[in-house]
Amino acid sequence: MNSFIFLLGIFLLHSLETSFGSVVSTGDFNKDFFVTWSPTHVNTSADGRSRSLKLDQESGSGFASNDMFLFGQIDMPIKLVPGNSAGTVLAFYLTSDQPNRDEIDFEFLGNVAGQPYILQTNVYADGFDDKEERVSLWFDPTKEFPYLFDFMESSPNRVSIFRDKFLDTTLLFMVDSIPIRTYRNHADKGVAYPRWQPMSIKMSLWDGSSWATNGGKDKIDWSKGPFIASFANYTIDACVWKGNARFCRADSSSNWWNKEELNSLTWKQRRWFKWVRRYHMIYDYCQDNKRFQNNLPKECNLSKY
């Protein structure tokens, strides 16, 4: 495999009136995304097929999708900041941008040269977060796009947000097709769950020196900059939000995300999930009794899948 890919699931209807088929993006960053932060620090190739973000003492940078989505899939190859990247944060996330926002985060925390990259995931549901988990990556994500990164909800090898009658059950975060985290829908038990609000796709590279690496002890060494992360050859196959979710939820043979068999982890995925939790888990908010004063969030005592 020669690409380092994030798969974000969001599904697009080919015809809102009669037929339901997937639509693939242009693959052109200039057409599907807009720069949100510091245009001078965002570099896009002439053909629009690749883009980089730069962080220096002057500014960080970022971009976001033109559309908001409900369901589907986004493949985004990403090469992280190489060398001594301590203090930097590369964020790849979905957000509804509302006061009571839903948000699903991948945050790659820069490392001291020679140390493993740390991936922090987080979930905002109805404006509430405090759901951080961290794992150390078992490979070098700064090489030439060598690995597959997934972020999905109950569907192998996809970064997906499913909100239909079968799959409104579990958020599943995956790295290189390996499940690293689940966040199950326990709304019926009073646990907030992100399922109603359409979200946009966002990328940003910024200074997280106060907390990102070793609790803020290792800050950015600006003499090592500028710090650059790059992206290329993405695809979007998604349901664009048009003000009514019923088209995205409609029963159709082509709406494969409605299949009930995608509603749980396979036995193989469960084995990988346990392997990650045992050997690569660094922090789990559900084990932080001190932080929550022995009153852990309700979902911590409920099933994970």
Side-chain angles (χ1 to χ4, degrees):
M1 186 176 300
N2 60 6
S3 61
F4 171 43
I5 302 175
F6 290 89
L7 300 177
L8 260 188
I10 332 172
F11 300 93
L12 180 63
L13 304 180
H14 180 62
S15 169
L16 297 183
E17 297 299 329
T18 57
S19 64
F20 301 88
S22 62
V23 173
V24 179
S25 68
T26 65
D28 187 335
F29 281 98
N30 291 320
K31 294 180 179 179
D32 293 329
F33 296 90
F34 67 98
V35 176
T36 58
W37 183 17
S38 191
T40 59
H41 286 53
V42 180
N43 184 51
T44 307
S45 64
D47 62 3
R49 299 291 168 176
S50 63
R51 173 170 285 181
S52 64
L53 295 179
K54 181 173 72 172
L55 167 66
D56 58 20
Q57 284 181 286
E58 178 185 339
S59 179
S61 51
F63 61 91
S65 60
N66 293 325
D67 292 309
M68 301 188 77
F69 308 95
L70 282 178
F71 313 120
Q73 177 176 319
I74 300 158
D75 301 340
M76 180 69 74
I78 303 176
K79 182 180 177 182
L80 297 183
V81 176
N84 188 348
S85 58
T88 67
V89 177
L90 178 68
F92 172 67
Y93 59 108
L94 291 168
T95 180
S96 65
D97 287 330
Q98 299 297 320
N100 60 331
R101 77 182 185 276
D102 288 343
E103 186 171 300
I104 304 165
D105 296 341
F106 275 115
E107 293 177 313
F108 293 88
L109 311 183
N111 62 320
V112 175
Q115 298 298 314
Y117 249 93
I118 292 174
L119 168 59
Q120 174 170 285
T121 58
N122 198 4
V123 176
Y124 285 73
D126 199 26
F128 296 96
D129 63 337
D130 293 336
K131 305 179 190 303
E132 302 94 342
E133 291 187 4
R134 292 185 181 184
V135 298
S136 61
L137 298 182
W138 47 94
F139 54 86
D140 184 353
T142 70
K143 300 299 183 183
E144 293 300 323
F145 304 113
Y147 291 95
L148 178 70
F149 273 73
D150 296 345
F151 163 63
M152 70 178 210
E153 184 173 349
S154 299
S155 176
N157 302 324
R158 290 177 175 79
V159 179
S160 305
I161 302 171
F162 296 111
R163 301 172 190 168
D164 56 37
K165 61 184 179 182
F166 292 133
L167 295 174
D168 197 8
T169 55
T170 306
L171 279 171
L172 174 58
F173 295 74
M174 299 189 74
V175 172
D176 197 20
S177 299
I178 295 175
I180 64 167
R181 177 179 184 173
T182 61
Y183 185 77
R184 191 165 180 81
N185 183 355
H186 291 295
D188 60 334
K189 299 179 178 64
V191 177
Y193 186 81
R195 54 180 173 166
W196 303 116
Q197 302 182 63
M199 301 184 192
S200 60
I201 309 155
K202 292 192 175 182
M203 301 282 205
S204 59
L205 179 60
W206 45 282
D207 179 1
S209 290
S210 63
W211 64 276
T213 308
N214 197 19
K217 294 180 181 179
D218 295 307
K219 303 183 185 302
I220 288 181
D221 180 355
W222 294 111
S223 70
K224 305 295 184 182
F227 304 97
I228 296 175
S230 53
F231 316 83
N233 302 319
Y234 73 92
T235 60
I236 300 176
D237 184 358
C239 183
V240 178
W241 173 251
K242 297 294 185 181
N244 191 324
R246 68 185 180 91
F247 299 114
C248 300
R249 299 173 185 270
D251 287 329
S252 169
S253 58
S254 61
N255 287 1
W256 56 265
W257 55 90
N258 284 335
K259 294 181 179 179
E260 189 170 8
E261 59 264 29
L262 301 177
N263 195 26
S264 63
L265 297 181
T266 66
W267 68 269
K268 186 176 181 179
Q269 287 175 321
R270 295 186 186 195
R271 289 182 62 185
W272 279 118
F273 178 77
K274 293 176 181 178
W275 173 78
V276 170
R277 311 291 284 190
R278 181 173 180 179
Y279 294 107
H280 293 278
M281 176 68 69
I282 295 174
Y283 175 80
D284 179 358
Y285 76 107
C286 280
Q287 297 179 11
D288 196 342
N289 281 294
K290 182 179 180 180
R291 174 184 177 184
F292 293 101
Q293 301 179 341
N294 294 315
N295 185 26
L296 293 173
K298 187 180 296 185
E299 68 268 16
C300 293
N301 296 312
L302 300 173
S303 62
K304 291 188 176 297
Y305 51 79

